[in-house]
Each structure stands twice: as C-alpha cells, then as structure tokens.
Amino acid sequence: CIPGCPLSISYIAKMSDAVVIKTRKFKRNPLLSRRQMIVDVIHPGRPNVPKDELSEVVGGMHKADAKLTVMFGFKTKYGGGKSTGFCLIYDNEDAFRKFEPKHRLVRKGIETRAEKSRKAIKEAKNKGLKIRGTGARIAKHKAKRAQDS
C-alpha cells in the first residue's frame, strides 16, 4: 500500500461544489507498473463529475501525474449523488502506452483514432471469410495491410 498509511483508511479529497472523492481497495501492481483502486465520488446536487477533474485530484492525492491517471467504468448510483468507478495510475508513460487499451489512449488524447470507412471494414472481413485453411491468416494480414494503406 502507500507508505505510512494504514490499510483501513481511505484517501479523501474535497473538490469545489462539495464533491468528496474517496479511494478504496488500493493495490500496487508491479507487473503492469501501476497502482489501481476503486474511486467513490460523492457529488450531491451535481449529475456527475468529469473524469478529467477526477484524474487531476486523484493524481494529486497519490503524488502522480494526471496524464498517467486513467478513470473508467463510472456508474452513478440510483437516485444520484454518488458514483463509483475504477482508477489506474501508471508509473511511466511507456507502461501506460504498453498496457492500456487503444480506445482509452485515444480518449486521453495520446493516440489518434484511425478513420476507416464501414465499407472498407466489411470488405476486409468478407475477403477473409472466403479463404479457408492455412492461407486464412496470411490473407487476413494482406487484407489489413491493403486497408491501412
């Protein structure tokens, strides 16, 4: 866990408009070079809190860069006022790029989304379906290369 912190105490930070952020189930994951935790956000009178604001506050709570903090999977409790989600704080940008899924990298603005037409995706899929046996893998690879260029 975090040095000098008893396991039972969760971190609490206050934001503007009486928003309280608590982290729990903190876990250090050295294999993926990250810290992971569940984040509870109490936000009475607000529909929800933007993930950018949350990542800045949680990153500050754990002495980490907001760019390496990823928030996802937030669900608002019935009746509003409280949301719960998941947070990952990576140790460095290399680990962030290596282990994070591409759609979350795009969301953070680190990578750009490749624009592909629906027709091109379907044509590549159907071309791959026509070939059977050991040549299917090679054909799918060639179709993907043709689609990317």
Side-chain angles (χ1 to χ4, degrees), residues 41 43 46-47 74-84:
V41 185
H43 48 89
R46 279 179 81 171
F74 276 86
K75 301 275 187 240
T76 306
K77 296 282 183 268
Y78 180 73
K82 184 179 179 187
S83 300
T84 302

Side-chain angles (χ1 to χ4, degrees), residues 7-147:
L7 290 174
S8 61
I9 294 176
S10 64
Y11 282 89
I12 300 172
K14 286 193 179 270
M15 286 175 61
S16 60
D17 300 333
V19 174
V20 178
I21 299 172
K22 297 179 183 178
T23 61
R24 60 188 169 91
K25 292 193 177 180
F26 181 91
K27 186 184 282 184
R28 178 90 188 83
N29 191 338
L31 291 175
L32 299 177
S33 350
R34 70 185 186 197
R35 292 167 275 178
Q36 50 198 51
M37 66 207 81
I38 293 175
V39 178
D40 293 321
V41 185
I42 301 164
H43 48 89
R46 279 179 81 171
N48 53 21
V49 184
K51 289 184 210 153
D52 294 337
E53 288 180 32
L54 290 176
S55 62
E56 286 176 23
V57 174
V58 173
M61 284 162 49
H62 291 274
K63 297 181 182 79
D65 188 8
K67 288 188 287 185
L68 301 177
T69 306
V70 186
M71 312 291 254
F72 62 95
F74 276 86
K75 301 275 187 240
T76 306
K77 296 282 183 268
Y78 180 73
K82 184 179 179 187
S83 300
T84 302
F86 206 68
C87 174
L88 304 173
I89 301 173
Y90 284 91
D91 296 341
N92 52 46
E93 196 170 330
D94 295 336
F96 183 64
R97 286 179 180 273
K98 185 176 180 184
F99 298 119
E100 261 316 279
K102 189 160 250 173
H103 71 277
R104 287 206 291 252
L105 291 174
V106 170
R107 230 179 255 170
K108 274 296 227 186
I110 290 176
E111 286 195 16
T112 56
R113 184 168 180 244
E115 292 294 325
K116 295 182 218 162
S117 70
R118 184 176 168 86
K119 187 176 180 183
I121 293 167
K122 286 179 174 283
E123 283 177 356
K125 178 199 64 118
N126 290 332
K127 196 171 187 180
L129 289 174
K130 286 178 188 171
I131 296 142
R132 295 173 54 100
T134 55
R137 196 180 92 236
I138 297 163
K140 280 184 184 176
H141 179 70
K142 284 183 180 175
K144 189 176 180 197
R145 296 274 307 267
Q147 179 186 358

